[in-house]
Amino acid sequence: MIRVLVVDDEALVRTGFTHILNTADDIEVVAAVPGGGAVRTVRELRPDVVLLDIRMPDVDGLTVLADLRRMADPPVVAMLTTFDADEYVTTALRSGAAGFLLKDTDPEQLPYLVRALAEGGTVLASKVTRTVVDGYLDNSVREPTAVRLTARLTERERAVLVLMAEGLANTDIGERLHLSTGTVKGHVSAVLSKLQVSSRVQAALIAERAGLLTPPQDGDSAR
């Protein structure tokens, strides 16, 4: 079972996400709490995935994210937002979030997105990905730097990077490239090291700026 914690200040959102995800046979929402109880609940229940509201009145979602990322074995965290363009999203990605999704995500897609997160993929709301990419890299990685960084990769590592950026989890990358999951994990680690980043989202953004990816399409997608 994929153990999920929903963190949001609105009871209606917590209830809705819990109901939708609990209909999936392989997903269990172990708790749904406001922001103030998030860190304590993660320590107690050790969820695999945390869906974390980026804006909450009792505690800032970015503060909670930072606290979770400091844990020895942190859960995968995806940020929830109501807005198509949220200025906090790029900060969350820099801080180690595995992606973000909108609160009005199609209910049928939500379990799929959670599975992608649990399997090592990333989730981005594609209709605002271009804004996020530009904002994220505006003061960090420029195109010449992205090209230089990706040039360090072997041909196999570059292929893995492209599939990472397309949203495939390690098992899916292995099937596509006819590699074992363990071998894929080794390539992913090498890619992150050579690109000097700590997350798959950051690697995908560098791949975007290096010209390795096609433009994003409308709609939410597992990345």
Side-chain angles (χ1 to χ4, degrees), residues 209-222:
R209 272 295 170 91
L212 301 182
L213 310 181
T214 56
Q217 303 297 316
D218 288 340
D220 286 348
S221 65

Side-chain angles (χ1 to χ4, degrees), residues 184-196:
V184 172
K185 288 181 179 179
H187 286 314
V188 170
S189 295
V191 168
L192 297 180
S193 176
K194 291 182 179 181
L195 298 184
Q196 302 174 0

Side-chain angles (χ1 to χ4, degrees), residues 156 159 162-163 166 168-179 184:
R156 178 66 76 186
V162 170
L163 295 178
E166 288 180 2
L168 274 67
N170 290 344
T171 53
D172 298 320
I173 294 174
E175 291 178 3
R176 185 78 64 87
L177 299 179
H178 306 290
L179 300 172
V184 172

Side-chain angles (χ1 to χ4, degrees), residues 84-86 89-90 93-94 100 124-125 128-138 201 205:
D84 287 1
D86 192 318
V89 166
T90 54
L93 295 178
R94 291 192 186 99
F100 71 96
L124 297 177
V128 291
T129 293
R130 176 64 59 180
T131 301
V132 171
V133 168
D134 291 342
Y136 179 91
L137 294 174
D138 186 46
V201 172
L205 293 170

Side-chain angles (χ1 to χ4, degrees), residues 37-218:
V39 176
R40 180 181 67 256
T41 304
V42 168
R43 290 197 178 107
E44 293 175 353
L45 300 180
R46 309 303 299 177
D48 304 302
V49 175
V50 175
L51 303 181
L52 174 61
D53 189 3
I54 204 167
R55 295 173 182 248
M56 296 179 287
D58 55 344
V59 60
D60 184 79
L62 297 177
T63 300
V64 175
L65 173 63
D67 289 340
L68 296 181
R69 292 295 297 171
R70 282 193 290 267
M71 292 182 175
D73 185 20
V76 176
V77 181
M79 311 305 293
L80 300 175
T81 178
T82 307
F83 308 99
D84 287 1
D86 192 318
E87 66 269 26
Y88 293 156
V89 166
T90 54
T91 302
L93 295 178
R94 291 192 186 99
S95 300
F100 71 96
L101 51 89
L102 301 178
K103 293 184 182 181
D104 62 355
T105 296
D106 185 344
E108 293 185 0
Q109 289 296 312
L110 190 57
Y112 166 76
L113 297 174
V114 167
R115 293 187 190 102
L117 289 165
E119 293 174 3
T122 58
V123 172
L124 297 177
S126 295
K127 60 184 177 181
V128 291
T129 293
R130 176 64 59 180
T131 301
V132 171
V133 168
D134 291 342
Y136 179 91
L137 294 174
D138 186 46
N139 294 315
S140 53
V141 181
R142 299 290 182 175
E143 288 190 24
T145 303
V147 171
R148 175 178 57 79
L149 288 171
T150 54
R152 299 176 177 177
L153 305 178
T154 66
E155 182 177 352
R156 178 66 76 186
E157 289 165 351
R158 185 182 291 252
V160 169
L161 171 61
V162 170
L163 295 178
M164 287 167 57
E166 288 180 2
L168 274 67
N170 290 344
T171 53
D172 298 320
I173 294 174
E175 291 178 3
R176 185 78 64 87
L177 299 179
H178 306 290
L179 300 172
S180 70
T181 302
T183 299
V184 172
K185 288 181 179 179
H187 286 314
V188 170
S189 295
V191 168
L192 297 180
S193 176
K194 291 182 179 181
L195 298 184
Q196 302 174 0
V197 296
S198 60
S199 76
R200 297 165 78 106
V201 172
Q202 295 165 341
L205 293 170
I206 290 178
E208 169 75 22
R209 272 295 170 91
L212 301 182
L213 310 181
T214 56
Q217 303 297 316
D218 288 340

